[in-house]
Amino acid sequence: MLSIAVVVTVLMTINLLWNIHQYSSQAEEEMREKAAVVSRQLIAIRSVIALRQDEINSDSQGHYEFKHLNPAAVGKEVGDFFNQSSGYKIKQTRFVVRAPENAPDSFEVEKMKILAANSELQAVWGYDMHDGERVFRYFTPLYYDESCMSCHGKPAGGQDLSGNLKEGFTVGDFAGAISIIVPMTTYETNQRSYIMSQLLFIVFMVLAIIGLIYILMEHIVIMPIQELTEKVTSIGDGQLETKLVAIHTYDEMKSFVEAFNTMADKIQYFYSELEQKVNERTHLLQEANLQLLAQGAALRAMNDKLSQADQLKSEFLAVMSHELRTPLTAIIAFSEILLYEENLSSQQREYLEDIFESSHQLLSQINDILDMSKIEAGLIRLDRRPTDIREIINGITRIISPLLLKKKLQFHININSAVPIIMADHDKVSHIIKNLIGNAVKFTPSQGFISIEAEVIHEKQESYLEIAVKDTGIGISEEEQGYIFEKFKQAGSQGEREYMGSGLGLALAKNFVQLHGGEIRVESTIGEGSIFTFTLPIVGSGGYICTTKKY
């Protein structure tokens, strides 16, 4: 019922909107035609007055006597009389008027500019608010002809017959417009009445349809289903002899009742055979259980094979990455040699620089894949030796200094004086810090701030070196923070990411930290920045603690 009501309402609303549009278009066309007729009549009166000027301004003796009945004056008087009796408002106006009452308002100025700019326009019109009411406004252009030259022609500044100064116009110049204001009160009243009647009709139709559907559903579906429910409940209570015998229904429901009675007979039959069926099913279930146990053993064997396949995959990736690095290293070397040539054109140098930079990026990603493959294959071992965090950070700072200057980023190093030299894998710790600082530089916009801090922390009788890289970059959402340390995962969807990469950097960093026995975590807020923090145990292999500053 709701769906049908919605469909009917939508269709009738569309029809109403279309009728309102048609009604508005028809009303506008009628007002435009009426205004056009009135303007043509006024222009005809002006033309007659212009042609009869000699007769009008001559007395019975044939002497010239100006009667002040020029086209403009007669047009104004005709407009005044017409306004009093019709509700319309007719005005002759132009940009510079002689009579203050003919001065144009802002709407008239706008439309006259349109008419003056295009002499081919016969009329323009539009809607406006006038004296607090919405009105239709129509404008017909006026042009100077030969009969107008005695009052508005040359020489400019000379005095015409009426005592006004001539403007110096020529035949064909834009002379202004006839402005007609048509009231829309009657039209809007009729439109509101039409809309209300249509809305009432829509409401009536929707209610009538809902009522009719409800009555039909009550007699054809609801009442039979209620009786059917009672009979089904009786069967559920154990009265298997229950049947539908006196139910009145139609079509599909009648077939349904017959099917129900057939079902009741079958239930009685199946109940009598139930015990035998249960025994048979129990036996089948026992056999199925044995099959499942056998399948479980097969699944375990398959899982072992998958583990072996995964290890082979990792070994394969490691070998392939190594094979790719060899030619790629040669490409980097040759492109670097060619860049030292002095006879290169700017375009050739640009291409070589692109090859050099892209090769370095590809080599870095292949190295990441190689390291990840080695980790998965269990081939990574830590080369623990005395490692100075200050030296690593200073070395990375020298490398990224050009990029910091290019992006105008502030970079601060804050290492606590108590930070010792630790026993760790120098290359892997350098890789961790380089990745975190590189990400901070990549995702921090110009004029941003990046810092790296290191201090010693003590937890549960153990000492750790805690290193934090902070930035004021784009930030990471809470949802993305849950998977950015996974392989091939990056913040943002593939179509939205502006900053491309292999998606292995943070995964490798996490693995290297965990190999040292530490932890890595992230805190971030979208638009405010991120803090990546990782810890490394200060106690190295054999329990030795390095506390010296040099080695």
Side-chain angles (χ1 to χ4, degrees), residues 23 65 73 86 105 112 188 205 220 250 259 279 305 320 331 425 470 489:
Y23 183 86
E65 181 182 357
S86 65
D105 56 28
M112 283 196 294
E188 291 180 340
M205 286 295 295
I220 297 177
Y250 309 91
N279 291 331
K305 292 181 179 179
M320 289 305 298
I331 292 173
D425 189 313
K470 303 178 181 180
K489 295 289 187 179

Side-chain angles (χ1 to χ4, degrees), residues 20-75:
I20 292 174
H21 172 72
Q22 292 293 97
Y23 183 86
S24 300
S25 300
Q26 183 180 358
E28 179 179 309
E29 182 66 19
E30 291 178 359
M31 290 186 291
R32 189 183 64 79
E33 291 180 357
K34 291 179 181 179
V37 170
V38 172
S39 64
R40 286 195 291 268
Q41 289 176 338
L42 184 58
I43 291 174
I45 293 173
R46 287 171 53 94
S47 299
V48 171
I49 296 300
L51 293 174
R52 297 289 187 267
Q53 280 296 291
D54 291 340
E55 299 176 18
I56 293 172
N57 293 323
S58 298
D59 59 12
S60 60
Q61 302 300 320
H63 300 124
Y64 183 81
E65 181 182 357
F66 183 61
K67 302 293 195 311
H68 296 280
L69 292 176
N70 57 348
V74 172

Side-chain angles (χ1 to χ4, degrees), residues 120-137:
E120 296 182 359
L121 289 176
Q122 300 297 318
V124 294
W125 57 87
Y127 295 93
D128 188 24
M129 297 300 295
H130 186 78
D131 294 336
E133 295 182 357
R134 190 165 181 263
V135 296
F136 178 78
R137 305 193 68 169

Side-chain angles (χ1 to χ4, degrees), residues 24 38 84 93 113 149 261 300 341 365 380 489 515:
S24 300
V38 172
Q84 294 173 5
T93 185
K113 287 180 180 179
M149 293 299 101
N261 290 329
R300 285 191 294 272
E341 291 291 333
Q365 293 180 6
I380 289 290
K489 295 289 187 179
L515 282 173

Side-chain angles (χ1 to χ4, degrees), residues 19 37 109 112 179 224 226 302 311-312 339 350 387 410 415 439 444 479:
N19 289 338
V37 170
V109 171
M112 283 196 294
S179 172
Q226 287 176 345
M302 184 180 297
Q311 184 175 359
L312 290 173
L339 283 172
E350 181 181 354
T387 301
Q410 300 183 44
I415 302 179
N439 283 346
T444 301
E479 179 184 357

Side-chain angles (χ1 to χ4, degrees), residues 116 119 142-146 148-149 169-175:
S119 60
L142 296 174
Y143 297 95
Y144 291 108
D145 56 21
E146 191 63 40
C148 303
M149 293 299 101
F169 290 111
T170 60
V171 174
D173 288 344
F174 182 72

